């Protein structure tokens, strides 16, 4: 079975073949770094981390570009509020982002361009659009894209121009010929700091949000590449506008496959900073480890929406413990994956079916059950190896099982209680030994008596 991917552009799942044999070029819209990343952002970066991992498993060379937007109205406003420079703010937030997503096992992209590094390319692209009659200057100094002059506008969203409305980031302002027109270049304002302004033939100012990704993706991947991804909320207007800009300027197809991940919801409403219903990654990591949060997300197909809650995270933690418990009981052999083996073939079929991690994770549980039944080191090795393709199960099982945040007791305190229980048993004070076991259980510590002695895991 070959890889097939759901393409938002054609609205169907299609066999995938890269433009250049054995080389996949993929661009994903990254973060606007004015604040800490929340779980919804993590879900997006997680989705495409899995995509690039699986493409490499299939033997492709992958050039994965995920940008950083480091100039934006919100960034300017936050820097002014804090009394620091834009660069100071964006450096701080970029470092925090890398720390947070690193804790989730999200691998760095091949390249991570920042918008401010590509302003000359953006200016050149705007020039090309002006030359083709697709952009116009306003009396106020802005440069706008003339949407109705690009006949294919709306093909990604599947709507006609009359059905479309300006998106939340597209400010309808004076000087626009049409409400759907969007800004390519924003004229400088007196109130804005100097580090938010660049010189350009159309006047001092800064690039609009949409032009950034067209310029960076074309500069690093070429004018026509394989995959472009991002959150479902970017399909319109951001990605629609990217197509208009890039294809309008080059006259070539821009991207073959468009991928969009589903939202993380809170009480069935999209998690977002604008709604104030978000949980930052670093706040969640105070209560749950990164592996649990990663597993929590991978249990759901990337295009599906799901609700975030502590109850769901607790369920994910207990489920992941089942996999690690199997690997703790039987030391995994060091195996290379034989993809003709039935469980491996089933896993590969799931991942080749539009990166269906939900079905792939189900295969891991089947293997864990087999490990528990057969005590086979080879099956345990296959479980660990397949988990590794998803960025799971690579830690020491005992370390995971004794980790977490379910108890206020540290390891020394737990061992002291185990020693006290052993002393009670030696004195034949079984009531005291049972009391200690029960007291630890109430704090989430489960004792396991073995011929080699007593060990423990967190419940």
């Amino acid at each position: 079975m070959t890889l097939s991917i759901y393409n938002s552009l054609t609205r169907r799942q299609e066999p995938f073949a890269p433009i250049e044999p054995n080389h996949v070029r993929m661009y994903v819209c990254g973060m606007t770094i004015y604040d800490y990343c929340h779980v919804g952002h993590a879900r997006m970066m997680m989705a495409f981390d899995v995509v690039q991992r699986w493409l490499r498993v299939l033997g492709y060379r992958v050039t994965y570009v995920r940008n950083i937007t480091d100039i934006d109205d919100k960034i300017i406003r936050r820097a002014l509020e804090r009394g620091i420079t834009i660069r100071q703010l964006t450096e701080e937030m970029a470092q925090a982002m890398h720390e947070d997503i690193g804790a989730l096992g999200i691998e760095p992209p091949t390249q991570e361009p920042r918008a401010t590094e590509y302003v000359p390319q953006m200016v050149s692209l705007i020039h090309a659009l002006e030359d083709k009659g697709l952009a116009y200057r306003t009396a106020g100094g802005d440069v706008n894209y003339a949407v109705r002059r690009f006949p294919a506008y709306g093909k990604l969203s599947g709507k006609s121009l009359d059905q479309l409305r300006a998106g939340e980031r597209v400010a309808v302002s004076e000087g626009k010929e049409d409400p759907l027109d969007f800004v390519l270049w924003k004229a400088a304002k007196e109130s804005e700091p100097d580090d938010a302004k660049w010189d350009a033939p159309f006047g001092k100012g800064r690039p609009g949000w949409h032009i950034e990704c067209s310029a960076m993706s074309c500069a690093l991947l070429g004018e026509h590449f394989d995959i472009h991804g991002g959150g479902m909320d970017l399909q319109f207007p951001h990605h629609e506008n990217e197509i208009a800009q890039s294809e309008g300027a080059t006259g070539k197809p821009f991207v073959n496959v468009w991928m969009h991940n589903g939202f993380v919801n809170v009480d069935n409403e999209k998690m977002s900073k604008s709604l104030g219903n978000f949980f930052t990654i670093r706040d969640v990591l105070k209560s749950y480890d990164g592996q649990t949060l990663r597993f929590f997300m991978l249990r759901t197909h990337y295009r599906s929406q799901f609700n975030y809650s502590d109850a769901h995270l607790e369920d994910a933690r207990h489920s992941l413990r089942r996999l690690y418990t199997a690997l703790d009981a039987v030391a995994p052999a060091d195996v290379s994956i034989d993809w003709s083996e039935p469980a491996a073939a089933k896993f590969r079929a799931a991942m080749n079916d539009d990166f269906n991690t939900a079905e792939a994770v189900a295969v891991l549980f089947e293997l864990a059950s087999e490990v528990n039944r057969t005590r086979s080191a080879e099956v345990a090795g296959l479980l660990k190896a397949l988990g590794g393709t998803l960025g799971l199960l690579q830690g020491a099982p005992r370390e995971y099982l004794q980790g977490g945040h379910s108890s206020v007791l540290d390891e020394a305190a737990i061992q002291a209680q185990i020693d006290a229980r052993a002393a009670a048993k030696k004195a034949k004070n079984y009531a005291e030994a049972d009391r200690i076991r029960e007291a630890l259980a109430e704090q989430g510590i489960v004792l396991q008596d073995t011929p080699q002695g007593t060990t423990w895991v967190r419940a």
Side-chain angles (χ1 to χ4, degrees):
M1 179 181 178
T2 57
L3 174 65
S4 64
I5 304 175
Y6 182 85
N7 189 348
S8 299
L9 181 64
T10 60
R11 285 168 281 283
R12 63 176 180 265
Q13 193 164 317
E14 303 167 332
F16 174 74
I19 299 165
E20 178 186 340
N22 300 317
H23 181 203
V24 179
R25 289 169 290 154
M26 179 171 76
Y27 184 92
V28 171
C29 292
M31 298 308 307
T32 299
I33 47 173
Y34 71 96
D35 205 345
Y36 296 121
C37 295
H38 61 61
V39 174
H41 300 142
R43 204 284 167 94
M44 178 275 293
M45 289 183 275
M46 183 77 69
F48 294 100
D49 178 62
V50 169
V51 169
Q52 65 89 18
R53 283 172 181 265
W54 187 249
L55 289 170
R56 295 180 202 278
V57 168
L58 294 179
Y60 291 112
R61 179 167 68 92
V62 180
T63 302
Y64 172 29
V65 179
R66 188 187 67 220
N67 79 293
I68 288 177
T69 293
D70 60 348
I71 185 66
D72 170 90
D73 289 338
K74 294 175 182 177
I75 292 172
I76 295 169
R77 187 162 54 248
R78 183 62 56 84
L80 290 172
E81 289 171 356
R82 292 184 54 184
I84 59 177
T85 66
I86 289 172
R87 184 58 180 264
Q88 287 172 321
L89 174 67
T90 55
E91 285 295 328
E92 176 189 335
M93 289 297 109
Q95 180 178 340
M97 178 189 74
H98 291 141
E99 291 171 356
D100 292 346
I101 64 177
L104 306 186
I106 294 173
E107 296 180 332
T110 313
Q111 298 188 68
E112 191 175 52
R114 298 191 181 199
T116 55
E117 300 168 348
Y118 287 80
V119 174
Q121 289 88 339
M122 298 172 202
V123 170
S124 296
L125 190 55
I126 295 169
H127 261 311
L129 292 169
E130 281 192 312
D131 291 343
K132 295 201 172 186
L134 291 170
Y136 60 91
R137 304 184 190 190
T138 71
D142 291 346
V143 182
N144 291 337
Y145 189 99
V147 166
R148 293 187 184 273
R149 299 181 200 171
F150 182 70
Y153 195 86
K155 66 180 180 179
L156 182 61
S157 60
K159 297 179 181 178
S160 68
L161 288 174
D162 292 334
Q163 291 174 311
L164 293 170
R165 295 291 182 268
E168 67 175 314
R169 289 209 192 189
V170 184
V172 179
S173 60
E174 293 181 10
K176 286 191 175 184
E177 294 178 358
D178 187 283
L180 280 174
D181 292 352
F182 56 90
V183 66
L184 299 168
W185 187 262
K186 294 185 176 183
K189 299 176 183 176
E190 284 292 329
S191 60
E192 294 176 340
D194 289 340
D195 54 353
K197 301 171 185 176
W198 284 262
D199 291 320
F202 2 92
K204 190 178 286 290
R206 58 187 171 87
W209 178 45
H210 307 298
I211 198 71
E212 297 175 4
C213 288
S214 284
M216 287 185 281
S217 62
C218 289
L220 295 172
L221 297 175
E223 294 173 346
H224 179 206
F225 55 92
D226 299 296
I227 299 173
H228 195 315
M232 191 180 296
D233 54 334
L234 299 188
Q235 185 169 352
F236 179 84
H238 185 52
H239 289 162
E240 193 78 69
N241 291 351
E242 280 192 64
I243 292 173
Q245 292 165 161
S246 300
E247 296 188 358
T250 68
K252 303 175 183 177
F254 178 37
V255 174
N256 282 0
V257 179
W258 286 87
M259 297 179 65
H260 295 96
N261 66 275
F263 298 140
V264 176
N265 295 330
V266 177
D267 295 329
N268 297 310
E269 194 168 38
K270 174 196 167 189
M271 181 184 291
S272 71
K273 288 178 179 173
S274 60
L275 294 174
N277 64 345
F278 66 93
F279 299 87
T280 66
I281 299 170
R282 55 185 45 204
D283 279 345
V284 175
L285 290 176
K286 293 174 184 176
S287 301
Y288 298 92
D289 62 278
Q291 182 95 170
T292 296
L293 185 52
R294 182 180 185 90
F295 180 74
F296 166 65
M297 295 182 181
L298 296 186
R299 294 197 305 177
T300 303
H301 188 275
Y302 78 91
R303 284 192 289 115
S304 299
Q305 301 185 36
F306 66 91
N307 266 326
Y308 171 90
S309 71
D310 284 349
H312 290 144
L313 268 171
E314 276 295 323
D315 181 68
R317 189 171 70 87
H318 284 287
S319 295
L320 183 55
R321 287 175 58 80
R322 288 173 52 199
L323 299 179
Y324 267 119
T325 297
L327 295 179
D328 185 55
V330 180
D334 186 10
V335 303
S336 296
I337 300 172
D338 176 3
W339 293 108
S340 66
E341 193 279 333
K346 188 175 180 180
F347 184 97
R348 183 174 61 178
M351 291 300 293
N352 279 344
D353 183 14
D354 194 29
F355 310 99
N356 193 336
T357 55
E359 291 295 328
V361 166
V363 174
L364 299 184
F365 280 101
E366 291 172 5
L367 284 171
S369 295
E370 187 175 346
V371 170
N372 293 334
R373 185 176 66 256
T374 65
R375 319 303 283 181
S376 167
E378 286 70 27
V379 176
L382 180 59
L383 168 60
K384 181 178 180 179
L386 290 176
T389 68
L390 301 178
L392 296 172
L393 303 179
Q394 300 310 291
R398 177 63 43 166
E399 185 177 314
Y400 180 81
L401 294 171
Q402 293 185 346
H405 304 268
S406 60
S407 171
V408 296
L409 294 177
D410 61 19
E411 291 187 25
I414 294 169
Q415 188 59 50
Q417 291 295 299
I418 291 174
D419 292 343
R421 177 172 174 265
K425 290 174 68 177
K426 188 174 182 179
K428 298 186 178 181
N429 188 350
Y430 299 115
E432 175 62 10
D434 289 344
R435 186 198 65 77
I436 292 173
R437 175 190 283 275
E438 291 167 5
L440 287 171
E442 288 175 0
Q443 297 181 74
I445 305 300
V446 178
L447 300 185
Q448 299 175 335
D449 292 322
T450 72
Q452 292 75 37
T454 300
T455 61
W456 60 273
V457 298
R458 294 191 191 272

